[in-house]
Amino acid sequence: MGFFSKLILIVGGPLVGKLMDHSPRIPAYICLNTVQAAAQLLSAAMIIHAHTVIPTSSSMLLHPWFFVLVLAGAVERLTGVALGVAVERDWAVLLAGINRPIALAKANAVLNRIDLLCEIAGASLFGILLSKYDPVTCLKFAAGLIMWSLPVMIILTWFTNKISSGVLDRAKCSQSCCRTSNEGPVPDADNIVDVGIEAIKLGWKEYMQQPVLPASLAYVLLCLNVVLTPGSLMTAFLTQRGLNPSIIGGFSGLCASMGVAATFLSAYLVRRLGILKAGAAGLIFQASLLAMAVAVYWSGSLSQQNPLLFFLCLIVLSRLGHMSYDIVGAQILQTGIPSSKANLIGTTEISVASLVESVMLGVAIIANDVSHFGFLATLSLLSVVGAAWMFCHWLLNPTDEQRSLFSFDPQS
């Protein structure tokens, strides 16, 4: 399911982004939310069906309901990414006000804070429900929440546009249609393959030509860090070490709390250092702590509990730098990418990130023995160090276009 979702995201991301850039904001947003809700309901229905049918000896992968579940999950993932890009790269900039970096930093911090708190609350709520009720009952409750939240979302979208004096109705760019008409003949509308290929080519072209490409590539490199994070590979390593499950759970919880703390820190860093230096600070902080963590691992002392706990504390603190750059980096991209291309470039970036993450996960699958953890951790560290080096090199060698884009940044 995870592989197919990433594959659909890699292929379909640029196509959906192009459609979003050429569609009115509010109708496109409502349409994608409706498709996402339908995919979520279909997923819930398939899992409920799987719980009610009589189990057979055949593989689960061969059942029709599993194919539908995989497809619905991929559609839900694709629409969720498109909605996130639209809000982060386009809506937030318009609502906060163009060329207002402090206001935009605060808006980004609040949006990320709400998102993280909802994830924590949602996981806690359904953890409690699953401990008291069977999975089918919990899925029915989730389906009810999905159906209830959709009309609420539509009403809130309309209300947001109204109180912002219709700013979301503003045309994205009068040049967008002109540029599209000059890019060559439009593919046959009946040939969806040609349309998709052209959208992917256009997405990669625009992505590579964006004025803030190093900031985006730094984010992509951070996605190669699949080991020194609170993910499944780290959980497997800690379990192999015989660490208490409560400590592993506490490690994941502390990493999540660092994300919430970063929403406060990022706005402060932008206000004191400026956008670009705030991004560099987050990357350097993360790389430094992860370098210490890898040094502790290679010291061979992780067989003892205290060095192991110190190793985990370094990773927890590094998440503060990671999440800070995640927020600040988003603002750099918001500032440097025109609204007419925001969705196309944003979804293409997610596609590139999914591609490199899949490659790293493939390496982890090949080197799946616990003895290879140090090798994977070193690769993850090198990706973070590479991201910090690339961003700092870009910061120290600004182009004329960069100076014009961030001219309002007093510290850059």
Side-chain angles (χ1 to χ4, degrees):
M1 287 183 66
F3 171 78
F4 191 74
S5 294
K6 287 186 180 298
L7 180 63
I8 292 295
L9 189 58
I10 292 169
V11 176
L15 177 59
V16 175
K18 182 179 179 181
L19 292 174
M20 291 283 286
D21 279 334
H22 290 80
S23 303
R25 290 184 179 87
I26 294 180
Y29 187 79
I30 293 175
C31 179
L32 281 178
N33 268 286
T34 303
V35 173
Q36 184 184 43
Q40 291 171 339
L41 290 173
L42 184 59
S43 297
M46 291 301 101
I47 300 175
I48 291 173
H49 173 73
H51 275 279
T52 54
V53 296
I54 300 174
T56 62
S57 58
S58 60
S59 172
M60 179 180 69
L61 303 179
L62 302 179
H63 287 283
W65 63 262
F66 184 75
F67 286 102
V68 177
L69 179 62
V70 169
L71 181 61
V75 171
E76 192 278 333
R77 172 66 175 157
L78 181 60
T79 53
V81 167
L83 290 168
V85 169
V87 171
E88 179 184 280
R89 301 290 174 85
D90 188 18
W91 288 37
V93 179
L94 288 173
L95 294 171
I98 299 174
N99 289 354
R100 296 183 62 205
I102 304 302
L104 184 57
K106 292 180 179 179
N108 288 332
V110 170
L111 287 173
N112 279 272
R113 194 176 307 145
I114 292 173
D115 188 44
L116 288 167
L117 291 175
C118 285
E119 286 187 12
I120 295 172
S124 302
L125 172 62
F126 280 92
I128 295 172
L129 289 176
L130 284 169
S131 67
K132 296 181 178 295
Y133 304 100
D134 61 279
V136 172
T137 301
C138 295
L139 284 168
K140 290 179 179 178
F141 177 73
L145 282 180
I146 293 169
M147 290 187 290
W148 172 83
S149 63
L150 182 60
V152 173
M153 181 281 306
I154 294 174
I155 294 172
L156 290 176
T157 301
W158 173 83
F159 187 67
T160 299
N161 190 44
K162 183 178 180 181
I163 63 176
S164 61
S165 303
V167 69
L168 297 177
D169 293 328
R170 186 181 302 172
K172 295 184 179 180
C173 182
S174 59
Q175 299 175 351
S176 179
C177 296
C178 297
R179 288 192 75 256
T180 303
S181 63
N182 293 330
E183 285 167 359
V186 179
D188 185 1
D190 295 330
N191 194 337
I192 189 64
V193 176
D194 287 345
V195 173
I197 292 175
E198 288 300 319
I200 293 172
K201 288 181 179 179
L202 178 61
W204 279 83
K205 177 183 176 182
E206 295 289 357
Y207 178 76
M208 297 305 296
Q209 292 178 350
Q210 63 173 308
V212 288
L213 179 62
S216 178
L217 291 178
Y219 165 77
V220 171
L221 282 174
L222 291 181
C223 294
L224 286 170
N225 177 19
V226 297
V227 176
L228 301 175
T229 62
S232 57
L233 294 177
M234 177 60 73
T235 301
F237 169 73
L238 296 177
T239 302
Q240 289 282 345
R241 289 282 177 174
L243 201 62
N244 191 303
S246 61
I247 297 179
I248 299 177
F251 166 71
S252 299
L254 286 174
C255 287
S257 67
M258 288 296 105
V260 178
T263 62
F264 295 95
L265 178 64
S266 60
Y268 173 79
L269 289 176
V270 171
R271 188 169 62 251
R272 293 299 301 269
L273 301 177
I275 300 175
L276 300 182
K277 290 182 179 179
L283 288 172
I284 293 172
F285 183 77
Q286 181 187 10
S288 301
L289 289 173
L290 290 184
M292 294 173 61
V294 172
V296 171
Y297 174 85
W298 285 114
S299 68
S301 60
L302 290 190
S303 56
Q304 305 172 23
Q305 186 168 8
N306 286 339
L308 181 58
L309 292 178
F310 181 61
F311 170 77
L312 294 180
C313 287
L314 290 172
I315 294 177
V316 168
L317 290 175
S318 75
R319 300 301 293 174
L320 189 61
H322 175 87
M323 294 303 297
S324 294
Y325 180 77
D326 192 46
I327 299 171
V328 176
Q331 184 171 349
I332 294 172
L333 298 172
Q334 288 167 334
T335 305
I337 300 174
S339 62
S340 61
K341 305 175 185 177
N343 291 291
L344 176 62
I345 294 176
T347 51
T348 302
E349 178 189 72
I350 300 298
S351 298
V352 176
S354 297
L355 179 61
V356 300
E357 187 179 357
S358 299
V359 172
M360 189 62 177
L361 288 173
V363 174
I365 290 172
I366 296 172
N368 57 7
D369 191 85
V370 68
S371 62
H372 297 142
F373 182 84
F375 167 71
L376 295 174
T378 303
L379 284 181
S380 293
L381 171 63
L382 291 176
S383 69
V384 177
V385 172
W389 176 85
M390 178 181 293
F391 188 89
C392 292
H393 181 268
W394 178 61
L395 177 61
L396 295 174
N397 299 275
T399 62
D400 292 337
E401 190 173 16
Q402 178 189 343
R403 290 191 179 94
S404 64
L405 283 172
F406 301 98
S407 59
F408 52 83
D409 186 352
Q411 303 292 337
S412 293

